[in-house]
Amino acid sequence: MSAVVAQTLHVFGLRSHVANNIFYFDEQIIIFPSGNHCVKYNVDQKWQKFIPGSDKSQGMLALSISPNRRYLAISETVQEKPAITIYELSSIPCRKRKVLNNFDFQVQKFISMAFSPDSKYLLAQTSPPESNLVYWLWEKQKVMAIVRIDTQNNPVYQVSFSPQDNTQVCVTGNGMFKLLRFTEGTLKQTNFQRGEPQNYLAHTWVADDKIVVGTDTGKLFLFESGDQRWETSIMVKEPTHDSKSLDVIQESESLIEFPPVSSPLPSYEQMVATSSHSQLSMPQVFAIAAYSKGFACSAGPGRVLLFEKMEEKDFYRESREIRIPVDPQSNDPSQSDKQDVLCLCFSPSEETLVASTSKNQLYSITMSLTEISKGEPAHFEYLMYPLHSAPITGLATCIRKPLIATCSLDQSIRIWNYETNTLELFKEYQEEAYSISLHPSGHFIVVGFADKLRLMNLLIDDIRSFKEYSIRGCRECSFSNGGHLFAAVNGNVIHVYTTTNLENISSLKGHTGKIRSIVWNADDSKLISGGTDGAVYEWNLSTGKRETECVLKSCSYNCVTVSPDAKIIFAVGSDHTLKEIADSSELPVSQILREISAFDVTYTTIVISHSGRMMFVGTSVGTIRAMKYPLPLQKEFNEYQAHAGPITKMLLTFDDQFLLTAAEDGCLFTWKVFDKDGRGIKREREVGFAEEVLVTKTDMEEKAQVMLELKTRVEELKMENEYQLRLKDMNYSEKIKELTDKFIQEMESLKTKNQVLRTEKEKQDVYHREHIEDLLDKQSRELQDLECCNNQKLLLEYEKYQELQLKSQRMQEEYEKQLRDNDETKSQALEELTEFYEAKLQEKTTLLEEAQEDVRQQLREFEETKKQIEEDEDREIQDIKTKYEKKLRDEKESNLRLKGETGIMRKKFSSLQKEIEERTNDIETLKGEQEKRIYDLKKKNQELGKFKFVLDYKIKELKKQIEPRENEIRVMKEQIQEMEAELENFHKQNTQLELNITELWQKLRATDQEMRRERQKERDLEALVKRFKTDLHNCVAYIQEPRLLKEKIRGLFEKYVQRADMVEITGLNTDLQQEYARQREHLERNLATLKKKVVKEGELHRTDYVRIMQENVSLLKEMNELRRELKFTRSQVYDLEAALKLTKKVRPQEVSETEPSRDMLSTAPTARLNEQEETGRIIEMQRLEIQRLRDQIQEQEQITGFHTLAGVRLPSLSNSEVDLEVKTN
C-alpha cells in the first residue's frame, strides 16, 4: 500500500435526493448524506465526522436510523448490485454491524427502509417492477416475510413501522395506502382502500393506530385503523404582496368510517413527474414529521405548516406557517425561496425543526420562535451556510489566504475558508459559471461565464466585476503562480493576459479540439495544455510558440499537471491510464515514458504536490487515489470513497497540507494529507495568512459618514439622556420628600392607634381570663354529669352483650349438630352410589365379553365363506379364460383383416383426435376462465353489495350536506353574476376613459404645437418691433427736414408694410370675424337652450301654483264649515245652560213667538260678518304671499339669460282675488 494518506476534514454539500436524508443522532448532532459519505455534524461545536460508503459503491439511495439511535441503515448500489449496510453509531469510529447483500429474490435497489420500534427488525421496499416489501430479522440476516406491494409498476415512496407495534406496517405510494400486519410468517393487508386512489407522497404515525398521509394535490388525510377520520386540503392563493399565502380552505369530517420520522423520497424527479398532472395551484406534501403537539408538513415550495391537535376532537388545525427566507444574494430573490421541502425532522427534545430542500440546502428553526411570531409566518434560517445546488465546475485556491473559490452550474460563485470551515462570500449571477481562478494574493478572481470572461474584485462583502472580455463559455482559466498573468481558454485557443494593464499579450493556437486543462510551471515561463484532440502541448510564453508536443489521437485528455521541476508532464484521459510524458533532448516531440493502468476506471483529474512526493488522482466513480512519487510499478495506492459522481476538479493548497476535491454531486471536500514515511513534504509557512481585505473608497466614505452621523446621534442621545436623568432625579427627589413626610405622618397615626389597641387588648385579656374560668367550671360540671350517665348506659349494654353471647353459643351448638348429621347422610349416600355403579360396571363387563365372543365367531364364519368364494371364483376364471382365448383367436383373424382398414382410418383418427384435443383444451381453458370469472364476479358482487349499502348511507348524508351547499352556491352564483355585470360596466368605463385620454392627449399635442408656433411668431414680431423702433428713431433725426423725413417714412412703409402683410392683415380680420361669428352662434345656441329650460320651469311653477291655490281654496272651505259647526255648538251650549238656569236669559219670558225669530235674524248678520272678516284676513295673507312670489319671479327675470315666458302670463292679482271671492261665496 501507498504511504500517502488522506483524511476527510470537512465537506460543504448535501445530497438531498437520498430518501430520509436528515435526522438527529442526539440533541446537538445531525446526520445527513454528502457525496458518498454520511456526515455527523455537531451544530454547536461545528465539527464533522464521517461514515464512508462501501467500497465500489455507486451512491446512497436511502437512509434509516433506529428508534434507539444506535443503528444506521444505508441502502447502496455496489457493483450494480443492491446492498444494505447497518452501522453501529455508538462506537467511535462507527463500525459496520451487518451487510445484507445476498438475496433469494429479485431486486434492483432498495428505495425506502425503516427500523422496528425495538430496533430488531428492518423493513425494506424494493423498486419497481418487483416492488417487494421485505421484513428482516437483520441481526441474523433472516427474511421473516416478503410480499409484493404493487403489480402495476407504480412507485412506492415510504414504508414505516407503527411506533409501538413491531408487527404493524404502513406503505404509501402512487395510488396505494396499505396497512399490513405480520402474522404466521406472512404480511397480510388489514385495510380496504376505499374511494379514489391518490398519489400518497408521505405519511407519519401520530399515535399507535393513527396515520397522517399527504398527497401531491395538497390533501391531508387522517386514518385510524385504516379508516378515514379527517381530511383537509391546502391551497396556495395568489397574494396581493410579494409572497404567496397558504390557507386551509376545506375541512370535512367523515361520519362513516371511510377509507415517525420525516418522509423518505426515493426519487424527487420521479415524484414530480408522477404528480405532474396535478394542478399547479395544489401544493405537494413531500414530507411529514410528527411531534408531541401534532405534526409538521411541507405545503408547496418554500413552506411548512404546523398542525396541532384539537383538544375536544381527534382532529388537527393549522397553527403556524414557516417559510424559507428570500435570499438577497440571489439573482432572482423572488424565486430564491421557491424550493420544495423534501425532508423534515424534529430534535429529540422537539426544540428544533430541521428541513432539507430540493436545492441541496439545510434549514432549521427553533420551535419557540414559531410560538412568538403569532399572526405572521416564521422563517427558517440556514443550518450551516448556503450550499451549491448543482455540479461544481470550477475550483481554485490562493497562497496568501486560506480561501477556496468555487463556481457551479447553479449560477453562483462561493468563497470558502478551509481554516474556519465557513462561507466567506456568496453571490449569484444571471449566467452559468464554467471556470474560476483565484489570484495568489486572494484579492481577485477571474471567472468564465457563459457569455463573458470577467475579472472581479473580492471585496469585504461583495464580488464586483471591473473588467470583461468577450470570451463565451470559457471552460478553463488560471492565474499564474506569480499572479502577473492569467490564461483563459476560448474553444481551442488559449489567451494570455497581464494583470497590470489587463491586455492580451498572446494567443496560443494549435489545438484542433477543445482544451480541457491548462497548468503553469513553477516559474511561469511555460504553460502546458491538454485537450480532447489527444494533444499535450508545452508553450513558451516569451515567444508565444509551442516548444514540445505529444499527440495521441486515440486518447481524449481530461487533465494535465507538471512536476515541480517542470521536467515531467502527467496526463490522464479516456484510455484508462496515467501517462508520464518527458521532453526529448533532441526533438521537439515529447515521449511517453510510462503508462500506468487505472484498473477499469477513468481518471478525470490529477494533481501533484509542490514537494513532488505525493500524487492524487480523481476518478469517474467519485473515488480518490493517493500514491507516492516516483510512481510504483505495481498496483500500489490508497483509494478513498469521496463523491457520488465524477470528480471535476482537484487542488492541493500551497503548503501541501490540504487536498480539495469537487464533483458533479455539488459537494466540496477538504482532506488532510500526509506521508507516513515523513519525507519532508510539510512546507512550513514563513509568513502567516494575510488578513487584509479590499474595500472601495465610496464604501469607506459612506461608512465614515454613517459613523459620524451615529457619533453625533450618540452625543445627542447622551445629552438627552442626561437631561432626562436630571429631570427624573428632581422628580424623584420631590416624590421621595413627599413620601417621607407622608410616611412620618402615617407612622405617628399608627403609633397612636397601636397605643389604643394595646389598652383594648389588655381589657380583652382580662375579660377572656374570667370567661375561660367560667367555662372551665361549667365544663367540669357537665363532665361529671356525662360520666354518671355513661356508666349507667355501659351497664345496660354489658347485660345485653352477655345475653347475645349466650344466644350465639346456643346457635353454634345447633349448627355443629346439623353439620354432623349432614356428614353422616353424605357418607351413606356415597356408599349407596358406589355399590350401584359397581353392579352396573359388572353388568357392562359381562356384556362386553359376550360381544367379543360374537365377534370372534363372526370372524371364523367370514374366513370360511371367503375360502369358498375364492374356490368358486378360480373355477369361474378358468372357464372364462378358455372362452376368451377362443374369442381372442377369432379376433386376431378379424384384426388381420381390419389392419388394412385401420391404417387408413388411423390417419383420419389422429387428425381428428388432434382437433378434438385442441377443442377440449380450448373448452377446458374457457371453462376455467369462465368459472374464475364467475367466482370473481360473485365475489365482486358481494363486495359491491356491501359497498352499495355503505355508499347509500353516505349518499344520504352527503345529500343532507349538499343541500345547504347548493343554496350557498346559488347565492354565490348570483353574486358572481352581479359582479360580472359590474365588471363589464367597469370595462366599458375604462374603455371610454381610455378614449377620452387619447383624445385629450391629441388635443394637448395640438395645443403644444400651436403654442410653439405662437411663441415663434411672438419672438419674430418682437424682433420686427425692435428693428422698427431703431429705424423710427433714426427717422426722428430728420424731424427738421420734411423732405428727407418723408423719404425715410416712405422707405419705412416700403420696408415693413408689404402686400403680403396687407393680405395677411385682411386674412387675420376674416379669421377674427369667423371666430366672432362662431362664438356668437355658440352663445345664441346656449341662450336658446336656456330659454327652453326657463319655459319648462315656468310651466312646472305654474302647475304647482295652481295646485297650491286649489288646495288653499279647499282648506278655506273646510275652515268655514268648521267655524259654522263651532258656532252652532256654542249656541246649543248656551241654550242648554239657560235651560239649566246657570246663566240669565236676555229675552223676557213674556215676549211672543215672533220676537225670537227677529232676534235670530239680527244675530245672523253678525255671524256672517265674522265669517267675512275671517276670509278677508285669509285673502289678504294670500295676496301678500302672491306679491312675494311675483317679486321673486321678477328678480329671476332680471338675471342675464332669463326673460318672460312667451305666450304664458301669470293671472293678475285682481282676477285671482275675484275668483277667490266667488269661490268663497
Side-chain angles (χ1 to χ4, degrees):
M1 295 298 289
S2 172
V4 180
V5 179
Q7 292 179 349
T8 48
L9 279 183
H10 203 85
V11 63
F12 306 94
L14 168 72
R15 289 193 64 213
S16 62
H17 300 320
V18 175
N20 196 9
N21 54 39
I22 186 164
F23 35 75
Y24 271 90
F25 174 63
D26 57 27
E27 196 62 38
Q28 286 82 30
I29 297 173
I30 61 168
I31 298 176
F32 60 89
S34 183
N36 206 19
H37 290 73
C38 274
V39 183
K40 290 172 72 176
Y41 175 68
N42 190 304
V43 179
D44 295 335
Q45 300 175 10
K46 310 297 182 187
W47 53 256
Q48 289 184 353
K49 292 182 181 177
F50 295 87
I51 305 169
S54 303
D55 292 338
K56 299 182 180 178
S57 170
Q58 294 169 336
M60 299 177 184
L61 299 171
L63 304 178
S64 180
I65 192 169
S66 62
N68 59 9
R69 315 281 177 182
R70 286 188 62 189
Y71 306 110
L72 173 67
I74 302 175
S75 167
E76 299 174 286
T77 304
V78 181
Q79 291 183 332
E80 305 295 335
K81 293 181 181 179
I84 296 175
T85 310
I86 298 170
Y87 290 87
E88 191 169 346
L89 295 173
S90 55
S91 62
I92 300 175
C94 299
R95 64 181 181 87
K96 288 183 181 179
R97 183 70 178 266
K98 287 289 176 187
V99 179
L100 309 175
N101 54 9
N102 294 320
F103 309 112
D104 300 332
F105 48 87
Q106 288 290 326
V107 58
Q108 290 183 358
K109 56 185 178 181
F110 293 99
I111 55 176
S112 180
M113 299 180 296
F115 278 98
S116 63
D118 58 2
S119 305
K120 292 181 180 178
Y121 298 95
L122 181 68
L123 198 66
Q125 176 66 46
T126 67
S127 62
E130 297 87 11
S131 297
N132 290 323
L133 182 66
V134 190
Y135 190 90
W136 259 302
L137 181 62
W138 64 268
E139 283 279 6
K140 298 181 180 178
Q141 299 187 9
K142 181 181 178 183
V143 176
M144 305 295 291
I146 184 169
V147 64
R148 188 167 186 182
I149 291 297
D150 184 62
T151 57
Q152 300 176 355
N153 290 341
N154 287 325
V156 180
Y157 299 131
Q158 183 180 358
V159 297
S160 66
F161 276 99
S162 169
Q164 302 296 330
D165 189 358
N166 283 349
T167 62
Q168 185 80 10
V169 172
C170 179
V171 182
T172 53
N174 188 5
M176 72 182 79
F177 169 72
K178 294 186 179 181
L179 291 174
L180 300 101
R181 187 173 288 278
F182 178 70
T183 54
E184 300 174 357
T186 58
L187 285 166
K188 295 180 181 177
Q189 187 172 351
T190 59
N191 71 321
F192 177 69
Q193 196 164 343
R194 303 180 180 90
E196 293 183 4
Q198 302 275 344
N199 187 6
Y200 300 105
L201 301 181
H203 71 263
T204 188
W205 295 78
V206 292
D208 297 346
D209 57 349
K210 293 180 182 178
I211 306 172
V212 174
V213 187
T215 70
D216 64 340
T217 57
K219 289 185 178 180
L220 292 172
F221 298 96
L222 175 66
F223 292 96
E224 184 175 359
S225 301
D227 297 325
Q228 183 181 325
R229 300 292 186 192
W230 173 75
E231 175 187 350
T232 186
S233 295
I234 306 165
M235 288 291 288
V236 178
K237 295 181 179 177
E238 288 294 336
T240 55
H241 299 291
D242 58 344
S243 63
K244 292 183 180 178
S245 64
L246 283 153
D247 292 316
V248 177
I249 61 151
Q250 179 188 0
E251 189 167 316
S252 63
E253 300 175 9
S254 285
L255 299 174
I256 303 173
E257 295 183 355
F258 232 1
V261 187
S262 57
S263 160
L265 301 171
S267 172
Y268 170 71
E269 290 83 1
Q270 179 186 9
M271 202 175 294
V272 171
T274 306
S275 59
S276 62
H277 65 276
S278 63
Q279 297 177 357
L280 292 173
S281 61
M282 296 293 181
Q284 299 179 6
V285 182
F286 286 116
I288 307 177
Y291 69 115
S292 58
K293 293 182 180 178
F295 64 91
C297 70
S298 64
R303 282 162 180 78
V304 172
L305 291 180
L306 295 180
F307 284 84
E308 290 184 1
K309 189 174 181 182
M310 297 170 70
E311 294 180 359
E312 295 128 5
K313 301 178 182 178
D314 290 335
F315 304 137
Y316 294 85
R317 62 177 178 84
E318 182 192 345
S319 60
R320 297 285 183 277
E321 181 184 355
I322 309 172
R323 295 183 185 173
I324 291 173
V326 174
D327 192 351
Q329 298 295 328
S330 173
N331 59 358
D332 189 1
S334 63
Q335 296 296 320
S336 63
D337 60 336
K338 303 299 182 290
Q339 42 188 319
D340 290 311
V341 177
L342 302 186
C343 195
L344 293 169
C345 181
F346 285 96
S347 62
S349 65
E350 298 181 353
E351 184 64 28
T352 308
L353 174 63
V354 177
S356 66
T357 69
S358 57
K359 289 187 178 179
N360 298 350
Q361 305 298 329
L362 286 172
Y363 293 96
S364 69
I365 189 168
T366 306
M367 294 301 290
S368 57
L369 292 177
T370 62
E371 295 174 2
I372 292 168
S373 61
K374 289 185 178 180
E376 294 182 0
H379 287 86
F380 281 107
E381 294 178 350
Y382 282 109
L383 183 68
M384 297 181 287
Y385 25 69
L387 303 170
H388 280 297
S389 59
I392 296 173
T393 55
L395 177 68
T397 185
C398 63
I399 300 171
R400 292 288 293 126
K401 291 185 179 184
L403 298 180
I404 308 167
T406 57
C407 64
S408 169
L409 295 181
D410 60 6
Q411 303 175 347
S412 70
I413 296 172
R414 295 166 203 260
I415 309 297
W416 314 87
N417 190 315
Y418 60 81
E419 270 198 342
T420 59
N421 296 322
T422 55
L423 181 67
E424 296 278 336
L425 282 173
F426 156 55
K427 194 167 184 180
E428 285 191 7
Y429 296 88
Q430 297 290 334
E431 300 86 17
E432 293 179 344
Y434 298 124
S435 60
I436 193 168
S437 182
L438 193 57
H439 192 270
S441 65
H443 292 313
F444 315 105
I445 56 170
V446 60
V447 185
F449 288 98
D451 59 344
K452 287 183 180 178
L453 179 76
R454 291 182 172 88
L455 196 59
M456 312 174 93
N457 281 325
L458 292 181
L459 303 179
I460 189 170
D461 56 357
D462 195 10
I463 304 172
R464 292 186 191 170
S465 173
F466 65 92
K467 179 67 176 175
E468 293 182 351
Y469 300 95
S470 59
I471 298 176
R472 297 173 65 85
C474 177
R475 297 282 174 172
E476 286 293 328
C477 61
S478 177
F479 275 103
S480 63
N481 295 316
H484 61 293
L485 301 172
F486 68 90
V489 172
N490 186 6
N492 57 2
V493 179
I494 304 170
H495 298 285
V496 182
Y497 299 89
T498 63
T499 56
T500 51
N501 56 8
L502 309 177
E503 291 180 356
N504 184 4
I505 59 170
S506 63
S507 297
L508 310 177
K509 300 178 182 178
H511 281 278
T512 57
K514 289 186 178 180
I515 299 169
R516 286 286 183 85
S517 178
I518 55 173
V519 63
W520 298 84
N521 68 344
D523 59 358
D524 297 334
S525 62
K526 295 178 182 178
L527 186 70
I528 295 93
S529 64
T532 57
D533 54 356
V536 176
Y537 294 147
E538 187 175 3
W539 306 86
N540 190 326
L541 293 178
S542 60
T543 61
K545 296 178 182 179
R546 65 171 180 255
E547 287 191 347
T548 59
E549 64 180 39
C550 177
V551 181
L552 187 64
K553 297 284 187 182
S554 60
C555 178
S556 174
Y557 288 110
N558 295 323
C559 187
V560 295
T561 189
V562 65
S563 61
D565 57 2
K567 291 181 179 179
I568 298 173
I569 299 169
F570 302 94
V572 292
S574 60
D575 59 351
H576 306 290
T577 59
L578 188 156
K579 297 180 178 61
E580 277 190 77
I581 303 169
D583 295 343
S584 175
S585 58
E586 299 174 357
L587 298 171
V589 177
S590 299
Q591 295 179 349
I592 298 173
L593 296 180
R594 267 199 302 174
E595 289 189 0
I596 299 166
S597 175
F599 304 101
D600 299 328
V601 297
T602 302
Y603 287 148
T604 56
T605 56
I606 184 169
V607 66
I608 190 168
S609 66
H610 296 87
S611 62
R613 301 291 186 183
M614 297 183 295
M615 184 177 287
F616 300 91
V617 288
T619 67
S620 58
V621 295
T623 58
I624 291 170
R625 292 181 179 178
M627 51 189 80
K628 61 185 178 181
Y629 186 78
L631 296 172
L633 297 172
Q634 301 88 3
K635 183 181 178 181
E636 188 176 340
F637 54 79
N638 291 330
E639 189 164 8
Y640 300 98
Q641 294 294 323
H643 294 274
I647 295 174
T648 55
K649 296 292 177 183
M650 183 186 293
L651 284 176
L652 273 166
T653 57
F654 183 71
D655 55 2
D656 290 342
Q657 296 296 306
F658 301 101
L659 175 70
L660 314 172
T661 60
E664 288 184 5
D665 59 1
C667 298
L668 170 66
F669 276 84
T670 60
W671 306 74
K672 177 75 173 174
V673 294
F674 54 90
D675 191 347
K676 284 184 179 177
D677 297 341
R679 291 181 291 173
I681 63 163
K682 187 172 181 181
R683 305 177 69 187
E684 296 293 338
R685 294 188 63 86
E686 296 178 0
V687 182
F689 286 124
E691 295 182 357
E692 296 84 6
V693 291
L694 289 181
V695 182
T696 61
K697 188 178 179 182
T698 55
D699 290 345
M700 287 293 291
E701 288 173 353
E702 286 175 3
K703 286 181 180 178
Q705 185 65 31
V706 170
M707 285 173 67
L708 283 172
E709 290 175 359
L710 289 172
K711 280 181 181 177
T712 54
R713 180 66 180 154
V714 166
E715 293 294 330
E716 289 173 0
L717 287 171
K718 278 183 181 178
M719 295 289 289
E720 191 175 348
N721 286 334
E722 288 175 359
Y723 177 69
Q724 293 292 333
L725 284 170
R726 282 198 296 273
L727 287 175
K728 285 180 181 179
D729 287 339
M730 292 168 65
N731 291 329
Y732 287 141
S733 60
E734 290 176 358
K735 285 181 181 178
I736 288 166
K737 190 175 180 182
E738 291 174 359
L739 287 170
T740 49
D741 296 338
K742 187 178 178 182
F743 285 134
I744 288 166
Q745 291 175 1
E746 286 180 357
M747 282 170 66
E748 290 175 354
S749 62
L750 288 169
K751 281 179 182 178
T752 54
K753 279 184 183 178
N754 193 11
Q755 192 67 31
V756 171
L757 290 170
R758 277 181 183 173
T759 54
E760 287 181 358
K761 179 178 173 292
E762 289 172 356
K763 289 178 183 177
Q764 291 288 334
D765 287 340
V766 172
Y767 170 73
H768 284 303
R769 282 197 209 97
E770 293 173 354
H771 188 62
I772 287 165
E773 287 174 357
D774 295 338
L775 288 172
L776 287 170
D777 294 338
K778 188 177 179 181
Q779 187 184 7
S780 61
R781 287 195 298 272
E782 288 177 355
L783 191 61
Q784 288 174 3
D785 296 338
L786 286 169
E787 282 178 356
C788 293
C789 294
N790 286 330
N791 287 330
Q792 291 175 2
K793 286 180 182 178
L794 279 169
L795 289 170
L796 292 169
E797 292 294 329
Y798 183 68
E799 288 172 359
K800 286 180 183 178
Y801 169 71
Q802 285 179 345
E803 289 174 2
L804 290 168
Q805 196 169 10
L806 291 169
K807 197 174 181 180
S808 67
Q809 285 175 0
R810 285 196 298 273
M811 288 174 72
Q812 193 171 1
E813 289 171 358
E814 289 174 1
Y815 285 128
E816 285 175 356
K817 187 178 179 182
Q818 286 178 5
L819 283 169
R820 284 194 295 274
D821 294 339
N822 287 332
D823 289 338
E824 289 173 0
T825 54
K826 183 182 174 185
S827 59
Q828 287 175 3
L830 191 62
E831 287 173 1
E832 290 172 359
L833 285 168
T834 50
E835 289 173 359
F836 172 73
Y837 283 113
E838 281 174 358
K840 214 168 190 180
L841 187 64
Q842 286 175 0
E843 289 175 6
K844 294 289 182 185
T845 50
T846 54
L847 288 169
L848 187 63
E849 287 172 358
E850 290 173 0
Q852 286 175 354
E853 188 63 33
D854 290 337
V855 167
R856 283 193 291 272
Q857 182 67 30
Q858 286 176 2
L859 283 169
R860 283 194 295 272
E861 289 175 359
F862 174 71
E863 290 291 333
E864 189 66 32
T865 53
K866 184 181 175 186
K867 281 181 184 179
Q868 291 175 2
I869 289 165
E870 284 177 352
E871 288 173 359
D872 293 338
E873 290 293 327
D874 289 337
R875 281 195 298 274
E876 286 178 6
I877 287 163
Q878 194 66 30
D879 295 337
I880 291 164
K881 188 178 179 183
T882 55
K883 182 180 174 183
Y884 280 107
E885 280 178 355
K886 188 177 178 182
K887 275 188 182 181
L888 185 62
R889 283 193 298 273
D890 296 336
E891 290 294 331
K892 280 182 179 178
E893 290 174 0
S894 63
N895 280 338
L896 289 170
R897 285 195 308 272
L898 294 168
K899 268 184 181 178
E901 295 175 4
T902 54
I904 297 164
M905 298 299 290
R906 196 173 285 157
K907 292 179 181 177
K908 291 182 180 178
F909 178 73
S910 61
S911 62
L912 290 168
Q913 197 170 6
K914 285 179 182 176
E915 288 181 7
I916 289 161
E917 285 176 358
E918 289 174 0
R919 296 289 171 84
T920 52
N921 289 329
D922 292 339
I923 288 161
E924 286 174 0
T925 52
L926 286 168
K927 278 182 181 178
E929 288 177 0
Q930 195 171 5
E931 287 174 359
K932 189 177 179 182
R933 193 175 178 190
I934 289 162
Y935 176 72
D936 292 339
L937 287 168
K938 283 180 180 177
K939 193 173 179 182
K940 196 175 278 185
N941 199 4
Q942 290 173 359
E943 290 176 357
L944 287 169
K946 294 176 186 175
F947 202 51
K948 182 176 176 293
F949 173 73
V950 175
L951 282 172
D952 288 338
Y953 190 78
K954 180 71 177 177
I955 285 161
K956 289 176 185 176
E957 296 296 327
L958 287 172
K959 279 181 179 176
K960 292 177 183 177
Q961 293 178 6
I962 284 165
E963 286 175 2
R965 297 277 175 91
E966 285 180 347
N967 294 329
E968 288 178 6
I969 288 163
R970 202 178 298 112
V971 173
M972 295 298 280
K973 280 182 178 177
E974 291 174 359
Q975 290 181 1
I976 287 164
Q977 289 174 356
E978 291 175 0
M979 291 172 77
E980 284 178 352
E982 288 182 5
L983 190 63
E984 287 179 1
N985 292 330
F986 285 139
H987 279 306
K988 289 177 182 176
Q989 290 177 4
N990 284 335
T991 52
Q992 187 62 39
L993 287 170
E994 286 175 359
L995 290 170
N996 292 338
I997 288 163
T998 52
E999 190 177 346
L1000 289 169
W1001 272 112
Q1002 290 173 358
K1003 286 182 180 179
L1004 186 64
R1005 289 193 196 99
T1007 51
D1008 283 339
Q1009 290 175 1
E1010 192 173 352
M1011 187 173 71
R1012 282 196 290 273
R1013 286 197 298 271
E1014 292 296 329
R1015 282 178 180 169
Q1016 186 63 37
K1017 281 182 183 179
E1018 187 181 357
R1019 284 195 291 272
D1020 295 341
L1021 288 170
E1022 285 178 355
L1024 186 67
V1025 168
K1026 282 182 182 177
R1027 289 200 301 274
F1028 182 73
K1029 281 181 180 179
T1030 53
D1031 291 341
L1032 187 64
H1033 187 267
N1034 293 331
C1035 287
V1036 170
Y1038 300 100
I1039 194 77
Q1040 300 296 332
E1041 299 176 5
R1043 188 177 56 81
L1044 289 174
L1045 181 63
K1046 185 179 179 182
E1047 289 175 2
K1048 291 291 181 181
I1049 294 296
R1050 188 180 291 112
L1052 279 176
F1053 180 78
E1054 289 173 358
K1055 185 177 179 181
Y1056 290 104
V1057 182
Q1058 298 173 357
R1059 290 183 181 178
D1061 295 334
M1062 296 297 290
V1063 171
E1064 189 176 354
I1065 289 162
T1066 57
L1068 286 171
N1069 291 332
T1070 55
D1071 291 340
L1072 286 170
Q1073 287 174 0
Q1074 288 175 1
E1075 180 65 22
Y1076 175 74
R1078 190 172 62 80
Q1079 291 287 341
R1080 184 176 177 182
E1081 287 176 3
H1082 175 67
L1083 290 170
E1084 283 176 354
R1085 282 198 297 272
N1086 287 341
L1087 190 63
T1089 53
L1090 289 169
K1091 282 179 179 179
K1092 288 177 184 177
K1093 282 183 184 178
V1094 169
V1095 169
K1096 286 179 183 177
E1097 287 176 359
E1099 288 176 356
L1100 290 172
H1101 283 303
R1102 185 181 178 191
T1103 53
D1104 289 340
Y1105 177 74
V1106 171
R1107 182 177 53 78
I1108 290 164
M1109 290 295 289
Q1110 289 173 356
E1111 287 176 0
N1112 284 337
V1113 169
S1114 61
L1115 287 169
L1116 286 168
K1117 283 181 180 178
E1118 198 172 342
M1119 286 167 64
N1120 288 330
E1121 288 174 1
L1122 288 169
R1123 283 196 182 94
R1124 288 193 200 98
E1125 288 176 6
L1126 181 63
K1127 193 147 189 176
F1128 182 69
T1129 51
R1130 281 178 181 170
S1131 63
Q1132 284 182 347
V1133 169
Y1134 179 77
D1135 292 339
L1136 289 169
E1137 286 177 354
L1140 292 170
K1141 296 182 180 179
L1142 294 173
T1143 57
K1144 290 182 178 181
K1145 286 253 184 181
V1146 177
R1147 294 167 302 201
Q1149 293 183 1
E1150 296 90 13
V1151 178
S1152 64
E1153 292 178 359
T1154 56
E1155 288 177 353
S1157 63
R1158 199 181 298 122
D1159 292 336
M1160 289 293 288
L1161 288 169
S1162 63
T1163 55
T1166 58
R1168 179 70 178 171
L1169 185 62
N1170 292 333
E1171 287 177 9
Q1172 286 177 355
E1173 287 177 359
E1174 188 69 26
T1175 53
R1177 281 200 298 274
I1178 290 164
I1179 289 164
E1180 188 65 29
M1181 288 169 66
Q1182 293 291 334
R1183 190 183 287 112
L1184 292 171
E1185 182 66 24
I1186 289 162
Q1187 189 64 40
R1188 187 178 65 81
L1189 290 169
R1190 282 181 183 277
D1191 294 338
Q1192 285 184 1
I1193 288 164
Q1194 287 176 2
E1195 288 175 2
Q1196 291 292 330
E1197 285 176 352
Q1198 288 173 4
I1199 296 170
T1200 307
F1202 287 85
H1203 302 283
T1204 56
L1205 298 175
V1208 179
R1209 292 187 65 82
L1210 291 172
S1212 64
L1213 193 59
S1214 60
N1215 293 334
S1216 62
E1217 287 171 5
V1218 171
D1219 292 338
L1220 278 170
E1221 286 176 1
V1222 169
K1223 284 177 183 176
T1224 51
N1225 292 330

